[in-house]
Structures are given as structure tokens and as C-alpha cells.
Amino acid sequence: MKQFFAVFEYEMGTYLKKRPFQIVTLLLMVLIAVGLTLPRFFASSEESSSTGLEGQFIAVVASDKMGVTSEQLSAMLNQSLGAGEGEIFQPYSGTREKLMQDVEEGNYNDGLLFDSFLQYTRITGTVSLYDQFSAVLQEVLLQNYRAQAMAESGMSQEQVQQILSAQVQETLEQTESGKNQANSYLFTYLLIMLLYMAIIFYGQMVASSVATEKSSRAMELLITSARPSSLMFGKVFGAGCAGLLQFVLILGTAYGAYQINEPYYTGAMSVMKSLFNLPVETLLFALVCFVMGFFIYAFMFAALASLVSRLEDLSNVITPATMLFVVVFFIVIVALNTGEVDTPLMIACSYIPLTSPMAMFVRFTMGEVAVWEVAVSVVLMAAGAAALGYLGAAIYRVGVLMYGKPPKLSGLFAMLKNQQKI
């Protein structure tokens, strides 16, 4: 145990002292803090912009067959948007060519030539990628068209307003195991991405550390002062704790920045609130999946890396484990994006240790899963991590002093079998 803690302390300290590790951590903390503070500077404009048309000047030309003048139509549109007279829509008396020139010169943001409430021509310059003009205007025109049609049919103004302002009220009641996938999607996707990056990044760091020591012959010195199992477990746990500390610092910075700027998350930015108001059980299960998933794959990476003699061979040896994890990631992402998270494939993946850290977490947040299913999955994950740790230690014991071409799978099993007989 003393050897394990010595290796653990050394490995964790090595990661924390690396300049790239420190720079990346600090840079991500600063970028996240700045990014989550930006709504503070844009909040005032977002709160005052309910339609996206405020501050614009739009010329209005009404056809003679509409029954209203350009002045009346402009006033009607401004009133519908809650704008003052002449603030947004302004009557225009020039020709179509003159209006085109005025829009080109920037005297007006847009020009509208109306044939009726349901038909118009828009004259404008560049249409923005996020342009909402047509959607807002068409909703306003439909409201005015319906009001005019109902008034012409003999309905009073009060009846017209009552019909137009009617709202549908919904009361949502879900079963105990039911989930709101729309509310869960964003944070589930983000946590799955974090888990994917953590396992790939830190798992390969463990593999690189093992391969570097072996290729430099430092392993021959280490193996004389510590047991191979202590070396492997110390390396894996050291990398895991360093990664966990890095994630705590980064996510802690994000949470702190959000708490400071939370009142400014309004409008479209309010969707971010779902990321920082997660249920405690979701956070705890995410942590369990993070830890289990990391150890399952880190043990595989460390064991496979011990089989190579040169750093150049490392990518070839760990590729099967990496590809397996990538396939699992794509299966989970497809299920997440389609909302079909309780398919037979996903259910099966929920109980396989190599796939359950991702699959069961997605089902936990977006599907219908019973408590006993989660418990069984966690037990199988723990058993799988322990089994892979034991197998990885056995491979590590054989591989650390093996030089030359990495053995084939059949040869590796034969060496492990012979080792058991000794």
C-alpha cells in the first residue's frame, strides 16, 4: 500500500506541475468566466427587444384597394407592436424605385409594399442569418387581418379582443418515471461530451506515461522498487484525481460565474439555467459514471501501453480500445438526438460495463428507468472496473519487462496462463 501511495503522489504531482496542464486549466477557467459574464453586458438590450424590430425604420406603402391609407396602416402596425407613433413603421409616399434607393442608402432598414394584409413585397438589403423580420411581421398582419374580418362580420371590439387574446392553458402531469427530454437534453449532451473528452484525454495520458517510461528504460528501475500492480494502480488513480481536480476547478468557476450573473440570464439565455440547476441525484450519478467510466478505460489503456517498447507503437496498440469507446459514444449520441433512449440496444448497453457509463446516464436523465435498474448498472460497472483492474494488472505485470514487437492476443493469453501456473 505504501508503494501505491508513493506512485499515486508522484503521478498526481507530475500532472499538476506540468506547465501545459496549468495553462490549459487556467485558460479554460478564464474563458468560461468571461463567457458566462457576457449576458451582463447584453441584458439591457435583450430585455428591451421583444420583437427584434426596435430601433429600425421601416417604410410602409399601402395599396389603394386595401381600404386604409399608408398612415393608418403604419399606426396600426406600430400599435400592434406596442411602439410609439412613427417609431418603427413610417408611411412612405415615394415611388417603388425611390424606396429601393432609400433602402440602399440606409435611410430605411426595410420597405414594405402592401397589396393586402396577406400579401406584401419586402424591399431590403442583406438578410441576416438570424433575421426574424418576416416571422414577426406576418404574425402582426395575421392578427390585424383576423380583427378586421371579425369586425366586418358584426362582432364588437370587445369580442374581437377576447378572441384574439385567448390563450390555451396546459397542466402537465408526468408519471414518476417520466422525463422531460426537452429540459434534459442540453445538460445531458454536455455531460456526455465531458465524459467522452475526459476518458479519451486522461486515458491516453496514462497510456503515454507508461509507454514513455518503458521506452526510456526507466521502467526497469521502477520495477525494482515497486510492484507492477502498485505502479499501474498508482498511475491510473493519480491521473484520475488530477483530471477530477481539473474538472472541479473548471466547473466550479463556471458555477460561480453563473451565480454572480444569474439575474441577467433572461430571454433566450434563460435556457442556460437548466445547466446550473441540476437535481442532486443527477449530479451524483454523473460523478459515478465519470469515475467508473474513467477507471474502466484507463485500466485498459495502461495495460495495453505496457506491451509496447517504443512510443511510436502506442497508437496502434490502444486503437482497438479507443475505437470501441468511440462506437459507444456514437450509439449514445444517436439515441440522445433521436430521443429513443429506451431501445433494446440502449437497454443492453446499460448493463455492459464498457458501455453503461454513458448509456445508463442517458437513460437516467431522458428515459424511463427504475431505481433497481440504476443500482444493478452501478454494481456491474463497479464489478467491471474491478475485473478490468485485475486483468490490467496481470497484463501490466507481463508487459512492463517485455520488449520487442507487441504480442498477439493469443500469445498474450498464453503468457497470462503461464504466469498463473508459476
Side-chain angles (χ1 to χ4, degrees):
M1 206 63 182
K2 184 178 179 181
Q3 294 175 350
F4 165 79
F5 282 111
V7 176
F8 168 80
E9 183 178 354
Y10 173 78
E11 285 295 323
M12 186 173 177
T14 300
Y15 284 115
L16 297 182
K17 292 175 184 177
K18 285 182 179 178
R19 188 68 64 183
F21 184 92
Q22 297 172 352
I23 292 175
V24 169
T25 303
L26 184 60
L27 184 61
L28 288 175
M29 290 171 65
V30 171
L31 290 176
I32 288 175
V34 171
L36 292 176
T37 306
L38 289 178
R40 177 184 290 266
F41 302 101
F42 298 107
S44 58
S45 61
E46 287 183 0
E47 290 173 0
S48 61
S49 300
S50 57
T51 64
L53 302 182
E54 285 77 4
Q56 297 191 26
F57 297 101
I58 302 171
V60 174
V61 179
S63 171
D64 295 335
K65 59 184 179 182
M66 283 191 69
V68 294
T69 65
S70 298
E71 290 79 5
Q72 291 172 328
L73 180 57
S74 299
M76 191 182 303
L77 294 175
N78 282 321
Q79 182 180 6
S80 298
L81 291 176
E85 184 176 353
E87 285 190 3
I88 300 177
F89 297 96
Q90 301 175 1
Y92 188 84
S93 56
T95 63
R96 182 192 187 102
E97 290 73 19
K98 182 65 169 60
L99 178 57
M100 181 76 74
Q101 182 179 352
D102 283 337
V103 172
E104 179 71 26
E105 294 175 354
N107 298 325
Y108 292 96
N109 298 96
D110 291 274
L112 300 175
L113 304 174
F114 284 91
D115 294 321
S116 67
F117 279 112
L118 300 181
Q119 187 174 359
Y120 69 91
T121 299
R122 176 187 177 187
I123 297 175
T124 189
T126 301
V127 179
S128 168
L129 178 64
Y130 303 102
D131 182 79
Q132 297 181 355
F133 179 92
S134 297
V136 172
L137 179 62
Q138 289 171 20
E139 181 63 27
V140 171
L141 291 174
L142 282 174
Q143 290 286 339
N144 282 279
Y145 171 76
R146 291 165 183 161
Q148 186 182 52
M150 286 185 283
E152 291 176 353
S153 67
M155 297 179 66
S156 65
Q157 188 65 26
E158 291 76 13
Q159 290 174 316
V160 171
Q161 290 299 323
Q162 184 178 6
I163 293 175
L164 292 178
S165 62
Q167 299 289 331
V168 177
Q169 296 183 350
E170 178 190 44
T171 301
L172 181 64
E173 294 185 5
Q174 293 183 267
T175 61
E176 185 176 351
S177 60
K179 301 288 172 38
N180 190 325
Q181 293 189 345
N183 293 341
S184 304
Y185 176 84
L186 183 59
F187 69 76
T188 302
Y189 186 86
L190 180 61
L191 291 174
I192 286 295
M193 288 299 299
L194 289 175
L195 177 60
Y196 173 80
M197 290 187 293
I199 291 176
I200 290 293
F201 181 70
Y202 294 108
Q204 291 187 349
M205 282 178 65
V206 171
S208 178
S209 175
V210 173
T212 301
E213 289 174 355
K214 188 175 178 183
S215 63
S216 64
R217 298 281 178 164
M219 186 65 70
E220 296 177 2
L221 298 176
L222 292 172
I223 209 71
T224 61
S225 57
R227 297 175 60 188
S229 57
S230 297
L231 284 173
M232 191 196 78
F233 286 114
K235 285 180 175 295
V236 171
F237 277 84
C241 288
L244 188 60
L245 177 60
Q246 186 179 45
F247 268 72
V248 168
L249 290 174
I250 294 172
L251 297 180
T253 299
Y255 184 76
Y258 167 77
Q259 289 297 324
I260 294 173
N261 300 285
E262 192 270 340
Y264 301 96
Y265 281 80
T266 59
M269 291 300 297
S270 61
V271 70
M272 293 291 291
K273 293 183 178 182
S274 66
L275 293 177
F276 298 95
N277 295 294
L278 300 180
V280 176
E281 60 270 18
T282 300
L283 287 174
L284 291 177
F285 191 60
L287 180 61
V288 169
C289 291
F290 176 90
V291 172
M292 294 295 183
F294 168 78
F295 284 126
I296 285 172
Y297 282 92
F299 287 142
M300 292 176 60
F301 284 129
L304 293 173
S306 69
L307 300 176
V308 302
S309 302
R310 300 182 306 163
L311 197 58
E312 294 81 2
D313 297 330
L314 179 62
S315 60
N316 294 331
V317 173
I318 66 173
T319 293
T322 304
M323 290 304 299
L324 172 63
F325 185 63
V326 170
V327 170
V328 173
F329 173 74
F330 275 108
I331 291 174
V332 171
I333 286 296
V334 169
L336 181 62
N337 288 331
T338 59
E340 300 294 332
V341 298
D342 289 319
T343 60
L345 177 60
M346 283 292 289
I347 293 174
C349 289
S350 300
Y351 301 108
I352 302 173
L354 294 173
T355 60
S356 55
M358 283 189 171
M360 181 52 84
F361 179 73
V362 170
R363 290 189 62 214
F364 180 82
T365 58
M366 297 187 65
E368 295 187 8
V369 55
V371 176
W372 68 265
E373 293 182 86
V374 177
V376 169
S377 179
V378 171
V379 170
L380 291 176
M381 273 191 274
L388 283 170
Y390 177 79
L391 178 61
I395 296 174
Y396 192 91
R397 233 178 351 257
V398 173
V400 287
L401 294 179
M402 179 190 301
Y403 290 92
K405 187 178 179 180
K408 294 182 179 180
L409 189 62
S410 57
L412 179 62
F413 281 127
M415 285 186 290
L416 290 175
K417 186 177 180 181
N418 293 332
Q419 185 188 43
Q420 295 294 327
K421 295 178 179 179
I422 298 176

